[in-house]
Amino acid sequence: QTVSATPKDVEEAVKTAIEYKVELKNTEIAFFGGSFTAIEREYMLSLLTAAKHFLDTYKFKGIRVSTRPDCITEDILLTLKNYGVTAIELGTQSMCDDVLLANRRGHSADDVRKASKLIKEYGFELGLQMMTGLYKSDFEKDMQTALEIIKIKPDTVRIYPTVVLKNTHLGFLQEKGEYIAPTAEETAPFCAKLLEMFEKENIKVIKLGLHSSETVEGDMIGGAYHPAFRELCEGYIYLQKMLEKLKGKDKKQSYVIFVSKKALSKAKGQQKRNEKALKSQGFCCIIKGKENLQNFEVEVVIE
């Protein structure tokens, strides 16, 4: 069971953030966990009123909400604009209609296109959320979704690999053997590709993988969950970059691989998996941090 947030909850959450001295000009008040524009209108307005008070008084960056693609209209957008909402994220999940239908999403890919167009026309920051590994999908269809999202040109993207929980429709399908969601190890190389694709198109990936929670970790029966899934994907990108740089080099030599100091742990991989992977391919390498290197930039020199 869950308890719906109240205007008082909004007030207390924002006051807590202010007490922690967050940088207000870069901090948003966000409503997540449901379809914000689909809730009862007066209730929605009560939450927005509470948030707008702090937006006006303390000069937060703005208000961010998430909702369904089929719950966006011009009237709704005008209302959100009047209450200080600056960013809207849509639970897109897939851009393949057969996948949306199989997963009982209740909206179409065209709903996503139409809603995205309206949101951009009204001057909001647009975010799209996609899922990989859904029932009746595969990596080819997930890639199609990513390419369709790139065509829409959102400002931000969240990538959520499917996690199967017990006592859900997907859970029952998995128990019957009709559906097996890809694991984190199977999904990470694919999501690493998506991460590179979106960033190349200047679309910021603001979340990759589910938040750690008791519900997920306690009720999960399958799928791609890892408490540091993004780092797993970024480590895979580094491994590919390092192997590209080492291609054709003499395996009798020892090498130093330089990466950004800030990304040293990612480059080495969780539990030094990348160092082990390089060794398994016959390369003797030490991975070190270096100033002035960009994210995913790799340099290889003979030791």
Side-chain angles (χ1 to χ4, degrees):
Q1 293 183 354
T2 58
V3 179
S4 297
T6 65
K8 183 70 175 172
D9 292 328
V10 176
E11 182 182 332
E12 289 177 359
V14 176
K15 282 183 175 177
T16 299
I18 292 168
E19 286 170 11
Y20 274 94
K21 293 183 170 55
V22 297
E23 193 177 351
L24 299 181
K25 67 178 182 179
N26 290 320
T27 301
E28 294 169 313
I29 302 169
F31 294 97
F32 282 96
S35 297
F36 191 73
T37 61
I39 62 178
E40 195 270 321
R41 185 179 175 86
E42 290 307 311
Y43 172 47
M44 180 182 79
L45 294 182
S46 72
L47 296 175
L48 286 172
T49 300
K52 191 172 189 302
H53 165 72
F54 289 98
L55 189 68
D56 295 340
T57 307
Y58 291 92
K59 307 303 178 188
F60 279 84
K61 181 183 177 184
I63 299 172
R64 175 179 291 263
V65 303
S66 67
T67 193
R68 293 172 55 88
D70 54 342
C71 292
I72 290 291
T73 64
E74 292 196 54
D75 179 59
I76 284 171
L77 293 177
L78 281 170
T79 300
L80 296 180
K81 180 74 78 173
N82 289 337
Y83 279 86
V85 173
T86 49
I88 301 172
E89 295 190 35
L90 299 178
T92 304
Q93 318 318 1
S94 175
M95 291 297 286
C96 301
D97 283 330
D98 60 330
V99 175
L100 293 171
L101 185 63
N103 289 274
R104 305 178 178 182
R105 285 296 302 165
H107 69 82
S108 68
D110 207 42
D111 289 329
V112 177
R113 295 185 190 96
K114 288 175 181 175
S116 296
K117 185 171 181 288
L118 267 180
I119 289 166
K120 291 171 83 171
E121 284 174 356
Y122 274 77
F124 293 94
E125 178 187 308
L126 172 65
L128 297 180
Q129 303 168 1
M130 70 171 285
M131 293 180 70
T132 65
L134 283 166
Y135 177 50
K136 295 291 185 183
S137 192
D138 52 35
F139 289 143
E140 187 177 336
K141 288 183 178 181
D142 293 340
M143 179 59 73
Q144 183 182 332
T145 290
L147 292 171
E148 287 294 320
I149 285 175
I150 286 170
K151 286 180 188 176
I152 293 171
K153 297 182 179 177
D155 300 285
T156 63
V157 164
R158 293 178 195 258
I159 305 170
Y160 292 120
T162 300
V163 174
V164 183
L165 305 181
K166 63 185 178 184
N167 299 322
T168 63
H169 180 58
L170 291 187
F172 298 139
L173 289 172
Q174 179 150 309
E175 285 167 4
K176 289 193 293 182
E178 287 186 33
Y179 165 62
I180 302 296
T183 65
E185 290 292 335
E186 291 167 337
T187 305
F190 177 74
C191 284
K193 278 186 195 173
L194 297 187
L195 182 59
E196 287 193 284
M197 280 172 54
F198 285 129
E199 295 199 343
K200 186 180 178 182
E201 297 293 332
N202 294 315
I203 299 169
K204 190 176 181 183
V205 179
I206 56 176
K207 186 67 182 170
L208 179 50
L210 279 177
H211 285 289
S212 171
S213 74
E214 289 182 12
T215 301
V216 172
E217 293 178 3
D219 293 346
M220 175 182 168
I221 58 172
Y225 173 74
H226 188 285
F229 186 74
R230 185 179 189 124
E231 191 169 305
L232 198 65
C233 296
E234 290 176 332
Y236 187 82
I237 293 173
Y238 268 107
L239 178 59
Q240 298 311 305
K241 300 277 186 190
M242 290 185 282
L243 287 172
E244 283 171 20
K245 290 282 186 178
L246 289 165
K247 194 172 182 180
K249 290 191 180 294
D250 185 357
K251 292 185 179 181
K252 293 177 183 177
Q253 292 279 4
S254 294
Y255 299 94
V256 178
I257 300 176
F258 290 109
V259 298
S260 167
K261 272 191 173 181
K262 293 178 182 176
L264 184 57
S265 64
K266 293 175 190 174
K268 288 186 175 182
Q270 291 172 9
Q271 298 176 333
K272 298 184 178 180
R273 63 192 297 159
N274 285 353
E275 290 184 332
K276 293 172 186 174
L278 293 173
K279 188 175 181 181
S280 72
Q281 297 209 27
F283 291 106
C284 180
C285 301
I286 299 172
I287 303 172
K288 292 184 177 181
K290 185 178 178 182
E291 298 285 359
N292 302 320
L293 286 182
Q294 300 299 310
N295 200 26
F296 300 128
E297 189 177 356
V298 171
E299 289 181 1
V300 176
V301 298
I302 295 173
E303 188 177 19

